[in-house]
């Protein structure tokens, strides 16, 4: 019988296998262009390759890489594939993977300054570097959250507490007046879930109609709705605006919407989870003109900036209301005599936090803003050129115009069922991967260029596949 490793730590094995894993990782990434983007599998197929009972005796981890090739890789949808055009990207550049490895090795818990002074101070500095890169004014303070969903939840909790004069956490919501939050239909479902989790209730997430080519929230309708709600005895609490909505890249006019929020005394939060990364390029910043008026905003370097998941950048004009909403100090977390230091766990729902700032440091040190800008600019150019190519083909129609590197299209005259069939055939083919969406009441194909591995040739190939499948 084979004897397993002892849980006592074997650093020789660690060094040997760490090097092997890096070699294996480079091989995996080099193999991606030849693999189908989406795993061609039936549900249950991956699980069936494993023993179904927990091992009583260990067998060590030597040989586990062969098992990964055998059991795991065939069950992957390859998010780092050069021809991944679905959803939004989740880019992990080599420096950020290595940084994540370093973060795992250091295995810090960065909840308080004193539990990781380096973790805390590098986070503060990296968020300030990124603020400068995005062209956000001084005075915005950043914190790294695990996801945009968490940042938006934190913002919605602040909206609720501010509106209820900080009574919600203490007394609960029973007997309180109805708290209202406003957003368009174009915002991500993370806003709906934040509203549910905050106990505000889906009925109190009020949808404001949109207008214009960017499907922007109508500011006059927003103002009128706030007035009507006040008149009905409800408490307007906040506005969630979007820049680069998930479905079609919708962008609210922040100058107008944030002015309404400010005039009405509402807390404002901007979800720029995907499009925010593009703001390192000054020429794209008109899409979020007025952002300096937001109380908080979120963008995901883990989408389109090459920073390995998880890394969500949450910026606040004033962190105080957030800390007032989320900070809790049991005796064991008190940092006696250390007041004045930032304790980032007071800025987020989870207490424990990894040393995620290392990932942004490695990426910015490796590529600089210029290196990142070049990739994003290529993506936008290639995507827009594919949109033109499809527009020129009588079988296709562009349904929503490109916003940065995202556009939607349909087969001319196709019913929804034919569109679903088209998307299924494209994805079963395996050379590219796209997702469908629904806009203006019809099924469309969402196409976005965002993989850091993608080349212009890959986008041309995507065009060829789409035309071939259109028949
Ligand atoms: N906001 C937008 C606009 C998104 O597109 C997404 C995900 O794609 C999210 C929020 C949620 O992001 P996360 O997975 O970081 O919670």
């Amino acid at each position: 019988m084979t004897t397993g490793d002892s849980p006592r730590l074997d650093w020789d094995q660690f060094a040997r296998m760490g090097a092997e894993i890096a070699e294996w990782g480079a091989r995996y990434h080099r193999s991606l262009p030849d693999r189908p983007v989406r795993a061609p599998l039936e549900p249950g197929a991956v699980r069936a390759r494993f023993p179904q009972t927990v091992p009583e005796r260990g067998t060590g981890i030597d040989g586990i890489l062969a098992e990964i090739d055998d059991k795991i890789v065939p069950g992957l949808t390859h998010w780092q594939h050069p021809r991944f055009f679905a959803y939004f990207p989740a880019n992990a550049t080599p420096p950020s993977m290595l940084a994540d490895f370093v973060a795992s090795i250091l295995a810090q818990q960065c909840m308080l300054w004193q539990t990781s002074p380096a973790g805390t101070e590098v986070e503060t500095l990296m968020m300030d570097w990124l603020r400068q890169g995005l062209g956000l004014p001084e005075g915005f303070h950043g914190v790294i959250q695990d996801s945009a969903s968490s940042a938006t939840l934190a913002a919605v909790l602040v909206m609720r507490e501010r509106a209820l004069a900080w009574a919600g956490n203490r007394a609960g919501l029973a007997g309180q007046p109805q708290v209202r939050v406003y957003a368009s239909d174009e915002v991500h479902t993370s806003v709906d879930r934040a509203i549910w989790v905050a106990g505000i209730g889906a009925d109190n997430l009020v949808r404001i109609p949109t207008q214009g080519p960017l499907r922007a929230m109508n500011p006059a309708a927003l103002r009128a709705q706030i007035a009507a709600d006040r008149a009905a005895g409800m408490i307007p609490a906040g506005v969630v605006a979007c820049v680069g909505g998930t479905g079609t890249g919708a962008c609210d006019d922040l100058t107008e919407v944030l002015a309404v929020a400010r005039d009405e005394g509402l807390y404002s939060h901007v979800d720029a989870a995907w499009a925010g990364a593009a703001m390192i390029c000054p020429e794209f910043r008109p899409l979020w003109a007025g952002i300096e008026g937001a109380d908080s905003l979120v963008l995901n370097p883990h989408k389109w900036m090459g920073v390995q998941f998880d890394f969500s950048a949450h910026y606040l004009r004033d962190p105080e209301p957030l800390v007032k909403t989320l900070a809790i100090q049991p005796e064991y977390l008190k940092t006696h005599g250390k007041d004045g230091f930032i304790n980032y766990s007071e800025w987020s729902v989870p207490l424990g936090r990894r040393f995620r700032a290392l990932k942004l440091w490695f990426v910015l040190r490796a590529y600089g803003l210029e290196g990142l800008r070049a990739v994003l600019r290529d993506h936008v150019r290639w995507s827009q050129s594919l949109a033109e190519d499809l527009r020129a083909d009588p079988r296709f129609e562009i349904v929503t115009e490109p916003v940065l590197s995202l556009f939607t299209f349909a087969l001319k005259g196709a019913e929804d069922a034919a569109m679903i069939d088209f998307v299924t055939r494209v994805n079963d083919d395996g050379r590219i991967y796209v997702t469908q969406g629904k806009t203006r009441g019809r099924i469309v194909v969402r196409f976005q260029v965002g993989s850091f591995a993608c080349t212009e040739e890959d986008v041309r190939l995507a065009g060829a596949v789409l035309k071939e499948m259109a028949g």
Side-chain angles (χ1 to χ4, degrees):
M1 183 179 298
T2 330
T3 316
D5 297 335
S6 158
R8 281 172 234 284
L9 311 174
D10 178 345
W11 295 112
D12 293 334
Q13 181 193 54
F14 175 81
R16 184 166 34 81
M17 285 214 59
E20 275 176 32
I21 288 175
E23 280 292 332
W24 168 87
R27 265 199 317 278
Y28 164 72
H29 278 270
R30 287 191 197 108
S31 77
L32 282 177
D34 301 322
R35 296 181 184 273
V37 190
R38 200 186 58 167
L41 282 186
E42 293 301 318
V46 176
R47 181 185 169 144
R49 296 195 174 111
F50 286 82
Q52 302 300 303
T53 51
V54 59
E56 201 56 54
R57 274 176 165 267
T59 48
I61 61 165
D62 282 337
I64 206 163
L65 282 176
E67 285 202 63
I68 290 184
D69 278 328
D70 183 43
K71 297 183 162 75
I72 303 285
V73 174
L76 296 177
T77 292
H78 302 289
W79 282 74
Q80 308 309 316
H81 197 292
R83 294 187 299 277
F84 183 99
F85 301 113
Y87 305 100
F88 280 138
N91 285 292
T93 52
S96 78
M97 291 177 198
L98 295 172
D100 218 13
F101 189 27
V102 174
S104 294
I105 291 167
L106 300 176
Q108 295 286 283
Q109 274 296 349
C110 307
M111 53 198 181
L112 308 175
W113 179 86
Q114 74 172 17
T115 64
S116 189
T120 303
E121 293 187 17
V122 176
E123 179 160 343
T124 307
L125 180 63
M126 285 309 112
M127 294 304 281
D128 197 59
W129 280 13
L130 182 59
R131 176 195 64 73
Q132 296 169 36
L134 295 164
L136 286 171
E138 268 182 53
F140 269 95
H141 304 267
V143 55
I144 305 170
Q145 306 279 6
D146 55 6
S147 62
S149 305
S150 291
T152 296
L153 172 60
V156 168
L157 290 170
V158 173
M159 290 174 189
R160 186 194 77 190
E161 285 307 287
R162 244 178 115 253
L164 296 179
W166 316 98
N169 280 347
R170 184 174 34 81
L173 301 187
Q176 301 284 2
Q178 263 174 281
V179 167
R180 305 283 265 182
V181 175
Y182 307 89
S184 83
D185 262 336
E186 300 285 341
V187 293
H188 187 259
T189 50
S190 52
V191 179
D192 301 63
R193 291 210 282 188
I195 293 288
W196 301 350
V197 174
I200 291 172
D203 292 348
N204 292 309
L205 174 59
V206 188
R207 303 297 183 164
I208 304 300
T210 56
Q211 60 184 17
L214 285 174
R215 298 161 293 287
M217 198 189 306
N218 178 334
L222 172 63
R223 205 182 279 279
Q225 183 67 51
I226 293 171
D229 287 351
R230 280 219 169 90
M234 300 169 183
I235 305 194
V239 179
V240 182
C242 71
V243 174
T246 315
T248 63
C251 293
D252 288 322
D253 180 335
L254 296 185
T255 306
E256 299 252 17
V257 166
L258 300 179
V260 176
R262 198 173 43 249
D263 291 352
E264 301 286 345
L266 271 55
Y267 191 86
S268 58
H269 175 68
V270 177
D271 179 0
W274 161 67
M279 304 309 154
I280 60 172
C281 304
E283 70 271 29
F284 299 138
R285 289 185 195 154
L287 283 177
W288 76 357
I291 188 70
E292 62 285 351
D295 289 312
S296 75
L297 66 118
V298 65
L299 65 131
N300 278 349
H302 68 223
K303 281 186 163 56
W304 203 15
M305 213 182 269
V307 180
Q308 165 86 301
F309 188 86
D310 54 344
F311 194 117
S312 204
H314 182 191
Y315 283 98
L316 303 135
R317 203 138 51 97
D318 174 10
E320 209 264 330
L322 177 69
V323 173
K324 198 166 168 185
T325 301
L326 294 181
I328 190 161
Q329 288 201 326
E331 189 56 33
Y332 83 100
L333 289 178
K334 283 190 182 145
T335 50
H336 297 289
K338 297 279 185 199
D339 282 354
F341 294 107
I342 297 177
N343 295 321
Y344 279 119
S345 58
E346 298 179 348
W347 299 40
S348 57
V349 176
L351 172 64
R353 8 184 42 247
R354 306 178 72 236
F355 196 162
R356 288 178 290 220
L358 286 175
K359 293 185 281 194
L360 185 59
W361 179 37
F362 273 49
V363 167
L364 289 175
R365 192 176 188 279
Y367 305 124
L369 291 172
E370 270 310 321
L372 295 170
R373 284 187 193 118
V375 176
L376 270 57
R377 284 174 176 146
D378 276 347
H379 290 172
V380 171
R381 202 158 37 81
W382 298 339
S383 171
Q384 298 191 354
S385 120
L386 178 63
E388 291 318 310
D389 188 25
L390 296 182
R391 198 195 309 275
D393 185 317
R395 291 168 296 176
F396 295 96
E397 74 179 287
I398 302 301
V399 179
T400 57
E401 294 297 325
V403 175
L404 299 167
S405 64
L406 168 70
F407 66 93
T408 66
F409 69 91
L411 295 174
K412 247 184 217 159
E415 300 285 327
D416 283 356
M419 286 301 298
I420 296 282
D421 177 60
F422 175 69
V423 172
T424 307
R425 281 187 290 112
V426 167
N427 290 337
D428 286 350
D429 171 81
R431 283 175 290 174
I432 68 171
Y433 184 27
V434 293
T435 31
Q436 77 279 2
K438 194 156 201 178
T439 187
R440 296 176 190 162
R442 65 192 285 206
I443 298 285
V444 294
V445 180
R446 281 177 81 260
F447 191 92
Q448 66 77 30
V449 180
S451 166
F452 273 39
C454 183
T455 64
E456 192 165 14
E457 191 45 46
D458 291 309
V459 180
R460 272 200 215 106
L461 178 63
V465 171
L466 292 170
K467 289 177 182 187
E468 189 183 317
M469 296 293 154

